[in-house]
Amino acid sequence: MSDPGLVHLGLLYDGPEDLVDSAVAEVRRALEAGDDVRLIVDRRTMRAFRDALGDDAEGVTFPPPSSMLPPSAPGFLATVRGWARPDRRTTVLGRYPSTMSAPDCGFGEDALNLVLGDLPLTLICCCQRDLDPDLLAVARRTHPLLATTAGPADNADYRTPPTASPTPAALWGTVAARLEVDGTEDLAEVRRRVADVAGRAGLEGDAVRAAVLAVHEAAVLACRGSDPEPAGLTLEIRARPGSTLFSEVVGPRRAPVPDGDPLSHVRPFCSCAVLHDDAGRRAVRVLTTV
């Protein structure tokens, strides 16, 4: 069986004991599968996990809560990507802080579902039921599965974030630039526009150059396999000032991508990258965080 990629679980709980009761089965499954297991919780909850796991707790790492960036933080997606390992799956459990912004949390969770779906990660995001109702609503909406005492269960409240354009402004930010390009013939204009928007979004120096190169490589990938005639591409750049730059290059899907990682030339220049092929259309999306 192939690795399922990202497994994104929500866990709604009433207190530390309820959190542990709901999560312990998934933690044991991860340990039995040989996962790198990290439970990022406070001391009281850590003691409860140790008691519930017994000797199995020796296989768990308990990083301090300060090591966990919440989904509302600008560097959240890069932190999550850093947990992924090439040789084994990683399971991470963390809790929502009560002070987190619900809109920013929703952005981080939706972005995670869209751009990190290929990573060998299991994430268990825990939200206490008495937190801000808007934060609880985000937890219900953004997790395909819920962790329960009986194991993972489908979440009827989950709403798949859209992968097609136009992407809602609430997810990636307002449209800062949109242009039509004639395949690789207009890449100089693509680079100029990306640099302009990146600077206005708060990127500087090497960060601007990385954003430019990421979109350049995405455009080349979008054209790959096209007919001898140039492939018409659409570039849309969205920006959340001081936080995120999101670029999407869309063109016709005329040939399958080669074996291996088709985004290998894109990833060095951005926090996250994802490719979607469907219905004759190829979309390459890159996300740069400040």
Side-chain angles (χ1 to χ4, degrees):
M1 179 182 291
S2 61
D3 193 292
L6 177 68
V7 176
H8 195 194
L9 294 158
L11 194 158
L12 309 180
Y13 68 98
D14 292 316
E17 291 75 17
D18 186 34
L19 188 162
V20 172
D21 288 345
S22 299
V24 71
E26 184 64 23
V27 172
R28 287 191 183 281
R29 182 215 61 77
L31 290 169
E32 291 170 0
D35 290 14
D36 176 11
V37 178
R38 308 177 190 185
L39 307 182
I40 307 175
V41 294
D42 59 26
R43 289 183 180 275
R44 178 183 175 186
T45 308
M46 179 179 69
R47 287 194 295 269
F49 267 116
R50 286 192 179 279
D51 290 343
L53 291 168
D55 292 343
D56 291 337
E58 296 303 314
V60 175
T61 301
F62 291 94
S66 60
S67 68
M68 175 76 173
L69 284 180
S72 59
F76 171 70
L77 295 177
T79 297
V80 172
R81 177 173 286 282
W83 290 332
R85 298 178 52 171
D87 58 336
R88 65 192 293 199
R89 190 170 187 84
T90 303
T91 290
V92 180
L93 179 146
R95 301 197 305 180
Y96 279 12
S98 60
T99 56
M100 184 163 54
S101 157
D104 287 344
C105 174
F107 165 77
E109 295 281 32
D110 277 333
L112 195 156
N113 288 325
L114 280 179
V115 300
L116 296 184
D118 61 332
L119 294 183
L121 293 172
T122 296
L123 302 181
I124 308 173
C125 305
C126 306
C127 180
Q128 192 159 324
R129 287 190 175 91
D130 63 359
L131 292 188
D132 176 357
D134 290 340
L135 203 53
L136 185 62
V138 169
R140 292 185 180 278
R141 174 180 61 79
T142 59
H143 294 91
L145 299 169
L146 293 177
T148 71
T149 54
D154 289 335
N155 177 15
D157 294 323
Y158 173 64
R159 298 294 178 265
T160 305
T163 59
S165 294
T167 305
L171 180 56
W172 295 122
T174 57
V175 176
R178 190 177 191 277
L179 65 155
E180 306 289 335
V181 296
D182 196 13
T184 56
E185 297 297 319
D186 293 332
L187 286 183
E189 176 66 7
V190 168
R191 293 191 294 270
R192 187 189 71 79
R193 295 292 292 275
V194 174
D196 177 61
V197 176
R200 287 188 278 121
L203 278 71
E204 298 178 347
D206 288 344
V208 172
R209 287 186 283 275
V212 169
L213 288 169
V215 178
H216 173 98
E217 294 294 340
V220 171
L221 176 59
C223 290
R224 183 173 291 168
S226 64
D227 295 336
E229 296 80 12
L233 303 176
T234 300
L235 169 66
E236 189 170 270
I237 311 170
R238 294 176 178 269
R240 292 164 59 93
S243 175
T244 310
L245 185 76
F246 170 76
S247 303
E248 177 183 62
V249 183
V250 179
R253 179 180 183 270
R254 294 177 177 169
V257 295
D259 293 337
D261 181 7
L263 295 166
S264 60
H265 296 293
V266 181
R267 297 190 194 280
F269 307 114
C270 60
S271 299
C272 309
V274 67
L275 182 148
H276 291 284
D277 274 353
D278 56 28
R281 189 184 76 114
R282 171 166 296 156
V284 183
R285 300 178 174 89
V286 297
L287 186 69
T288 303
T289 52
V290 180

